[in-house]
Structures are given as structure tokens and as C-alpha cells.
Amino acid sequence: MKQIYECVKQKGYTFGSLTLGETIEIAGELNLRVSDVIIAEAMDQNAMTREEVLDDVLNAFAHNLYAAEVGITSGSSFLLGTIPQELAADNFSNRLIEDDFINKILVYTLAAQVGNHSCGLQPCAGTGDSCTYTGLYRALQEFVEDKEERARAVAVMLKVGTIFRAGKTTTGCNMEGFGAGSAATAATLVELHKGSPEAMAKAVVLALSPTIGTPCTPRVMVAGLCTTHIGGGVLIGNLAANLAMKTGIPVNVPVDVMIAMAAAIHPVSAEQLVPIVIRYMQPFFKKNLEVEYFIEEGVREQEHAIIEKTMVSAIQEARALAKKANSIVKPFGEAVVGGSSQAVGSPTNTARIAHALAKGEITGVKIELYAELFARRGINVPGILMAAVLGASTDNGNAYREIMDKVRQKKINVEIVKVDEPQKQRITIFATEQNSMVEALNRGGARLVLQKASPSLEEARFAAQSMGIVLVD
């Protein structure tokens, strides 16, 4: 305790407000487990002994364990039915995953959700992540006999959970069952398996990445959908923990930055994504007829009309997608070096078209990219330049690796500019006989929307067609 206290003081940190990154940093420097620092912080913050902290950490789950027990024995959910009981029947023979420990976590997590709908659950960031924490805790009870080891794992889990509780300000599963559940699962499993503090930081970052921006509240009014949120959090957390502990996977994002980004995106997701989810999912919301009795007939009729319109529109949109889809015998586009068909493939194809329109020796290239592509310039500028200068295709790995040296050797002037318009990519080539310019909107799969071109849009379309570049509306 003393060495932890001195390290915290030396670094200018404060017990009671240690970030996860700071906690992990201290553990790494002192060659301690992350749980040692978390427990020491709780001791100082609450004026408790170590034993008292460990007891209270475990006792915090009393009600939620009861809810999970209800869910796995007698409870029924209006959204999930009795699926935990189905999965637990015949000694868990109906398995979701072969790993017995992870399978139990999944089933008990779903049981906590059914219990939540039966007798209520104590929330952390929300009740979604409490389901995951409860599932983890219940499985730990069965698989970890040593009380201190069990409490260490739970302490780490709750350190992550309470940070997400502070960060959750509105609707959004990125800060609840999916995001917080993934992060807490990852951290807990690293602690349980005595992984390094560095591995824990990596695991939480990896677990959080796919959960950023995920909305939830509208979907928890729809039967079944919540299962893959809270269950998915367990599976992603397990994957992240194993990657971090068993490989040398490079992760350079600090864990506190990842958590801060999740919290910052959280209200934006609620504002922008949730209304869209509601529009498509509202036809499938579970309704309470006793409540509907008090809603004015005119309001119900208006809702019904909107729902019918949405359903017709959604089917039309699905048919449009199916019509545009490639045949399964030719599903893929050309290979794209550089790691991303959107960040590299689409702007590279824009530059290929510009190269086809230019004449003479190329003396300069101006690259204008919208914010996201500008931020990813480290991977897309080589692709753009190999296409603009050499006319190279997106699959030319040699040109991609060599182009920066060739541009310097040929003393070609390169200008890279950020533009404000979303999806915009504009490539201008300066040449001795004829300059060219192609302006397009970025689309995934190396595709693009042609907007303007010089000398002409018609020539640009012809060039794209001759090179097999896919243009979309």
C-alpha cells in the first residue's frame, strides 16, 4: 500500500480519481497486478482495510445474483422469453460456445437480463452492463475457488464499470452492455489469468473499438435483439483479452483516450443514430395494451400510418440494394494495397482517372481530401500518388512501396489539403501538355461517385469504364 501511495503522490495523481490508464501505469511501474492498485485506491478512498474492500466488492452483487437466479430458474422476459433456462437445461448441454467458462458467463449474463425484466437489476452504467458483470461474477463463483482471486477480478471489473457509469449520459450501448461489457470483460479476464498491466490496457482498447457509437435503447423494445449486445460484449472482451495476452499485437492508442472517445461519441450517437433506429425498429416494439388504452386514437392512427410507410420504404430500399449487388460468382473488386478500400481504394481510383486525362510529363499533384481521409493520409497518399504519377492500379504493391522515393527523385510538387465537405476527394494533376482534375465522393469497396472532371466529365466516365473502376450514383 505504501509504495502505491508514494507512486501516486509522486506522479501528482489522486486516489479516488485515478483513470484506468493511470491505474495500469502505476501497476506496471511497481511490478504489481492492476487489482493491487485498484484495491489500494478503494482502501484510501473509503478508509477501509483490504479485507473490508474485498468483502464489499463481492457483497455488492447480492441483489443482481438473485436476479440472475430468477432468470435461470423461473423468470420470463417479455423480450427474451426463458432462453437462459433452455440453455442451462441438462447441465448446460445446449451450448453457445465450447469453452465452459465463457459459455457459463454468456448464459448467466442472459439470465441476469431475464431477471432484470422479472425483478429488476441494480444498474451500473445501465442495466445492460450489470447483466454482463453479474454473469461474469456468477461464473467466477463456480470456477475460481480462491476468494481473494475472485475479488481481485471483480475489483478490476467494477473499476472499469464505474468509469463507464460516469461517462454514460444518454442512451447508447457503447457505454453500457456492449461497450462497457466488452471493456470490463477484457480487463477482468486479463486480471484473472494474471496478464500484464500492458496486456490489460491493450485488451480494453481492442474490446472498445468495435463498440464505439453503438445505440441501444430503441432495440431493447424489440424481442431478442439485446441478447447479441450483452452476449457480444462477453465474446469481444474474451477475444480482446486473448489477443492481448497471447500475441504481440501492436496497439498504440492509450486506454484513457479510447474511453474518452467512447464517452464523447456517446451523446452524438444518441442524437444522430437513435432516431434512425427508432424509425426502422418501431414497427417491432413490444406494446403494452393496457398502456395503449390511454393513448389518443388519433395519435395511434398517426403512428400506424408512419409505421406502414416505413415498412414499405424499407422493403424498397432492400430491393434497391439487392439490385445493385454483384453476382456471387464475381463478388469482389480489385485488390487494394494499403489496408482499406475506402481510405485507399476510392481515392486511388480517383487519381487513376485523373492520370488517364492528363497529357505530357507530370510536374505536380494536388490532393484534396475530406477530414477522415486527410487524417488517414499515411496510408492513402502513397496510393493516390502511384495512381496519379504512374497510373498504377490499386493492387500494385511494388508501386505503393516505391512511389514516395520516385516522387522525390522526379521532383514532382505535391500539395495535400484538407477540405470540409464530407466524402470529398479531388485530385488535380499538373502536366506539360494537359492538366487534369477529378472530383469525386468516396464510397467503400474502392468505388466512387464522379462529380466534376477536367477536361470533361464524359472523358472521365469513359476512362473509369475502360479501367474497370466502379462508379456509383
Side-chain angles (χ1 to χ4, degrees), residues 161-181:
T162 53
I163 288 172
F164 275 83
R165 179 176 172 83
K168 184 174 169 64
T169 57
T170 181
T171 178
C173 214
N174 68 309
M175 294 297 286
E176 194 179 333
F178 193 33

Side-chain angles (χ1 to χ4, degrees), residues 96-379:
L96 295 172
I97 191 169
E98 284 308 306
D99 183 303
D100 194 34
F101 179 50
I102 302 300
N103 187 67
K104 288 283 184 72
I105 296 173
L106 286 168
V107 175
Y108 291 145
T109 294
L110 296 174
Q113 180 70 302
V114 171
N116 181 34
H117 296 159
S118 302
C119 62
L121 203 67
Q122 287 184 304
C124 192
T127 52
D129 56 317
S130 285
C131 293
T132 306
Y133 308 155
T134 305
L136 264 164
Y137 183 92
R138 173 72 184 265
L140 286 169
Q141 283 184 314
E142 294 184 21
F143 284 83
V144 181
E145 292 184 7
D146 187 278
K147 176 184 173 181
E148 178 167 331
E149 283 301 311
R150 193 161 64 242
R152 279 178 175 273
V154 174
V156 169
M157 177 170 67
L158 294 180
K159 174 66 174 178
V160 175
T162 53
I163 288 172
F164 275 83
R165 179 176 172 83
K168 184 174 169 64
T169 57
T170 181
T171 178
C173 214
N174 68 309
M175 294 297 286
E176 194 179 333
F178 193 33
S182 297
T185 299
T188 303
L189 294 179
V190 172
E191 176 65 27
L192 181 65
H193 296 298
K194 296 183 173 64
S196 67
E198 180 189 14
M200 186 180 294
K202 285 185 176 183
V204 172
V205 170
L206 291 170
L208 267 180
S209 182
T211 73
I212 299 297
T214 307
C216 71
T217 296
R219 284 200 281 256
V220 301
M221 290 293 290
V222 181
L225 299 190
C226 220
T227 56
T228 47
H229 276 231
I230 57 176
V234 172
L235 296 176
I236 288 174
N238 181 52
L239 171 62
N242 280 288
L243 283 170
M245 290 188 291
K246 297 178 180 179
T247 75
I249 187 168
V251 177
N252 64 354
V253 180
V255 64
D256 288 340
V257 173
M258 202 71 177
I259 292 172
M261 179 174 71
I265 290 176
H266 177 55
V268 178
S269 170
E271 207 173 290
Q272 302 296 327
L273 299 182
V274 168
I276 297 173
V277 176
I278 290 175
R279 187 168 80 240
Y280 284 92
M281 291 293 100
Q282 192 172 3
F284 312 103
F285 279 15
K286 285 283 187 179
K287 287 189 176 180
N288 185 329
L289 295 181
E290 292 179 342
V291 173
E292 292 302 301
Y293 174 81
F294 295 100
I295 305 300
E296 291 183 9
E297 181 67 25
V299 173
R300 293 203 302 269
E301 288 178 355
Q302 185 180 24
E303 278 189 350
H304 184 71
I306 292 172
I307 286 170
E308 283 194 337
K309 184 177 179 181
T310 299
M311 291 296 292
V312 170
S313 175
I315 296 300
Q316 290 173 341
E317 290 164 16
R319 285 173 180 157
L321 292 173
K323 186 176 181 179
K324 293 177 182 178
N326 286 2
S327 167
I328 60 171
V329 300
K330 194 176 180 181
F332 303 121
E334 289 186 10
V336 178
V337 296
S340 171
S341 64
Q342 179 170 357
V344 182
S346 184
T348 296
N349 278 336
T350 303
R352 288 174 69 195
I353 299 170
H355 176 87
L357 301 182
K359 293 181 181 179
E361 184 180 352
I362 294 173
T363 59
V365 179
K366 183 177 181 180
I367 301 169
E368 298 172 83
L369 302 171
Y370 73 96
E372 182 188 346
L373 286 196
F374 185 80
R376 301 168 77 179
R377 59 189 178 271
I379 61 172

Side-chain angles (χ1 to χ4, degrees), residues 9 14 65 120 170-171 211 244 375 405 438:
K9 185 177 180 181
T14 305
L65 284 174
T170 181
T171 178
T211 73
D405 282 338
V438 175

